[in-house]
Amino acid sequence: SKSYNTILVETRGKVGLITLNRKKELNALSSELFHEVNDALETYDSDSEIGAIVITGSEKAFAAGADIKEMRDKTFAEVYKTNFLGHWGRINDIKKPTIAAVNGYALGGGCELAMSCDIIYAGDGAIFGQPEIKLGVIPGAGGTQRLTRAVGKSKAMEYALSGRPFTAQEAEKWGLVSKIFPKDQLLGEAIKLAEEIAGFSQPAIQACKEAVNSAYELSLKEGMHFERRLFQALFALNDKKEGMNAFVEKRAPKWTNT
Ligand code: CAA
């Protein structure tokens, strides 16, 4: 596999693992790091052997946010003309499921990167937050949008306006995080879930992700319509025939991703 400066990539069976690797800087999300994450995501997304992707950091930090040292001297004209952080949105076009395995700090852009993944699993000591207000700015990669959709207005306002951190236990209770594990078991559990997902028919998984994501964009009526049309469309797959035949014949299905 490719070698990068700020991340590590390895495949575990059908799972692509991306480990943020600027340990000393608490995985501060420099421009180089985010470009490398995008490249790794897009490489896994186009690799037919890969069925799901896990993004993780270190035990101390998933990521402590955008790189403040890189941002401190930037001017409005510069960030506006270059659409600074615009490329962070490329993760939204990844078709395969993404799981964030969060230990330690997920602050600012780190929290936003985790929220850009499809599922968040957290270690029991993980700390989340949108502390941008303490730097004289606001979240710039979805913090005011995704956090609000995930936890509701009052909590999103409280935490974005105060910059206060919140715990893995709070995040799990509010539904931002789906499960918490002891920190040394977190990555194994995230990979286990990713392997399970990667074991299903890829086009069905892709349609499922697309349908859930449409719940953020569409009215209930349009969303239900879109879901039913996708459901019906999957009847064109060989894997639909195989999955249902296997059930009736009491055997394991052999997916061909067609
Ligand atoms: N950018 C650049 N460097 C960072 C960083 C960041 N976001 N977070 C930590 N670092 C660096 C520190 O400067 C320090 O470097 P030096 O050793 O060279 O001084 C090193 O990482 C270790 O950090 P600390 O010494 O601060 O470690 P700590 O254990 O005392 O504190 C922490 C940990 C509470 C996470 C603290 O580092 C911190 O508050 N970090 C900044 C968090 C933050 O404000 N994030 C939001 C960034 S803005 C943003 O993300 C915008 C957006 O919406 C996209």
Side-chain angles (χ1 to χ4, degrees):
S1 65
K2 278 187 215 174
S3 91
Y4 296 104
N5 290 323
T6 62
I7 63 171
L8 302 170
V9 291
E10 61 184 290
T11 56
R12 304 269 186 101
K14 292 179 174 177
V15 178
L17 173 62
I18 299 174
T19 304
L20 310 182
N21 191 33
R22 293 183 76 205
K23 225 170 175 172
K24 210 165 57 62
E25 294 85 4
L26 305 187
N27 293 327
L29 303 165
S30 62
S31 175
E32 180 186 28
L33 181 145
F34 224 98
H35 277 293
E36 291 189 343
V37 168
N38 282 335
D39 187 80
L41 283 169
E42 285 161 9
T43 303
Y44 283 140
D45 209 31
S46 58
D47 180 345
S48 62
E49 299 300 312
I50 295 293
I53 302 164
V54 173
I55 304 180
T56 196
S58 71
E59 197 166 289
K60 178 159 183 195
F62 177 74
D67 190 324
I68 300 166
K69 290 166 189 167
E70 189 180 286
M71 290 187 291
R72 66 185 285 194
D73 293 326
K74 285 193 193 295
T75 65
F76 166 72
E78 213 176 324
V79 295
Y80 184 57
K81 286 192 293 183
T82 61
N83 192 24
F84 181 61
L85 300 192
H87 69 286
W88 286 30
R90 276 161 58 187
I91 190 171
N92 302 325
D93 295 324
I94 299 300
K95 298 181 293 298
K96 291 173 186 169
T98 53
I99 302 171
V102 176
N103 268 325
Y105 296 110
L107 298 177
C111 188
E112 292 168 311
L113 173 59
M115 292 192 293
S116 299
C117 293
D118 299 319
I119 298 166
I120 307 178
Y121 271 8
D124 52 12
I127 298 286
F128 296 83
Q130 299 292 160
E132 289 89 343
I133 203 71
K134 297 179 185 174
L135 300 169
V137 289
I138 68 168
T144 66
Q145 305 301 302
R146 291 191 205 276
L147 189 62
T148 307
R149 281 167 159 82
V151 307
K153 173 174 154 178
S154 182
K155 282 186 170 57
M157 283 287 191
E158 180 185 356
Y159 287 92
L161 293 176
S162 70
R164 286 182 185 171
F166 51 92
T167 62
Q169 290 71 23
E170 289 170 309
E172 195 265 347
K173 191 173 70 184
W174 304 338
L176 181 73
V177 156
S178 61
K179 283 194 175 70
I180 304 177
F181 299 96
K183 61 174 177 292
D184 55 325
Q185 287 169 32
L186 169 71
L187 184 60
E189 293 289 344
I191 289 171
K192 200 157 94 187
L193 176 66
E195 270 170 352
E196 204 171 313
I197 292 168
F200 294 113
S201 168
Q202 281 186 13
I205 287 288
Q206 183 179 331
C208 193
K209 169 169 171 167
E210 212 181 339
V212 173
N213 275 334
S214 75
Y216 284 100
E217 309 291 344
L218 303 179
S219 69
L220 181 61
K221 189 174 170 191
E222 292 167 311
M224 295 291 288
H225 182 79
F226 181 64
E227 180 196 74
R228 189 166 307 111
R229 287 289 180 260
L230 272 178
F231 168 75
Q232 291 162 351
L234 295 186
F235 281 56
L237 291 177
N238 294 319
D239 281 345
K240 171 264 177 189
K241 207 175 284 175
E242 170 63 10
M244 295 192 182
N245 284 342
F247 175 83
V248 173
E249 293 161 17
K250 302 186 190 297
R251 60 174 176 83
K254 283 199 194 69
W255 308 118
T256 55
N257 299 323
T258 61

